[in-house]
Amino acid sequence: MAAIFAFKCRSCDEIHEGSPSFAFRAPDAYASLSAEDKARMGSIDEDLCVITREEGVDRFIRAVLEVPIHGVEDPFLWGVWVSVSEKSFDRYRGTLDAPVEGEGFFGWVANRISLYPYDENRPADVNLQLDGDRPKVVLHSAEEETDSLVIDQRDGISIQRAQELAERAMHGISRRRER
């Protein structure tokens, strides 16, 4: 039986229990809009976001990106937004309350995770979940993989790595400041 993740934080001396989970409130494209532009061009709720620009419409859905932690039952979770096509967005929205098991589609991760710097957009499969769970994001991997988030999602991370990432995410510690 796998253990429950817990650690004593080196930054705040608190005991943190349960697998780490960090979420973005909005896709980066929406978050970067001014308040005026959000009101004029955007709409967002807990699951869906739309930005209507002169050059077209951007559609996003909220999802989870799981990174397994070795020896721990629950994964490290990143709540991210994914940019999807109009067809995928409409299908997802139409089946939000009753998703079809095994259904999924292609998307682009629409948030930059600063602990996993990457210069390009991350392509992914978005797999729908039953029972009201958010869709799962499975990142695409390349033959010669250099994206550490893809590697961590595929291979899992150690408990020590999970603690390090959690501490950095909770306390805004960057590697530059740690040196």
Side-chain angles (χ1 to χ4, degrees):
M1 183 171 161
I4 294 175
F5 184 80
F7 67 94
K8 182 174 181 178
C9 185
R10 293 177 288 222
S11 292
C12 66
D13 281 336
E14 295 286 325
I15 300 291
H16 299 288
E17 294 181 326
S19 289
S21 178
F22 300 95
F24 292 90
R25 294 175 193 226
D28 290 351
Y30 182 87
S32 66
L33 294 174
S34 68
E36 179 184 298
D37 284 344
K38 286 177 183 172
R40 184 173 52 84
M41 302 184 324
S43 68
I44 190 167
D45 63 26
E46 289 185 12
D47 297 300
L48 306 169
C49 179
V50 176
I51 302 172
T52 305
R53 305 174 193 272
E54 287 181 20
E55 60 273 10
V57 178
D58 297 322
R59 296 166 183 84
F60 307 91
I61 64 168
R62 197 171 210 166
V64 295
L65 192 157
E66 296 183 352
V67 175
I69 303 171
H70 300 285
V72 175
E73 184 176 341
D74 293 323
F76 195 115
L77 293 177
W78 293 101
V80 296
W81 290 80
V82 183
S83 174
V84 297
S85 71
E86 178 179 11
K87 180 180 177 183
S88 296
F89 183 86
D90 290 343
R91 176 71 177 145
Y92 177 69
R93 187 175 52 185
T95 61
L96 195 57
D97 294 326
V100 177
E101 186 172 11
E103 190 169 283
F105 39 83
F106 175 82
W108 295 94
V109 176
N111 297 107
R112 299 266 184 216
I113 301 172
S114 63
L115 301 178
Y116 286 101
Y118 194 68
D119 292 334
E120 302 171 26
N121 290 322
R122 288 182 164 110
D125 291 325
V126 181
N127 300 316
L128 302 185
Q129 304 298 304
L130 301 178
D131 300 324
D133 291 339
R134 295 205 192 284
K136 285 186 185 177
V137 173
V138 179
L139 298 171
H140 288 192
S141 59
E143 195 170 306
E144 289 188 38
E145 194 54 63
T146 58
D147 184 348
S148 58
L149 182 54
V150 171
I151 294 166
D152 284 357
Q153 185 180 49
R154 181 190 64 220
D155 299 343
I157 58 176
S158 68
I159 290 172
Q160 294 79 14
R161 173 82 171 136
Q163 178 177 346
E164 173 195 340
L165 289 170
E167 288 172 341
R168 290 172 60 202
M170 286 185 293
H171 299 291
I173 301 168
S174 72
R175 288 189 177 190
R176 285 188 202 107
R177 281 194 274 159
E178 290 173 344
R179 290 184 181 156

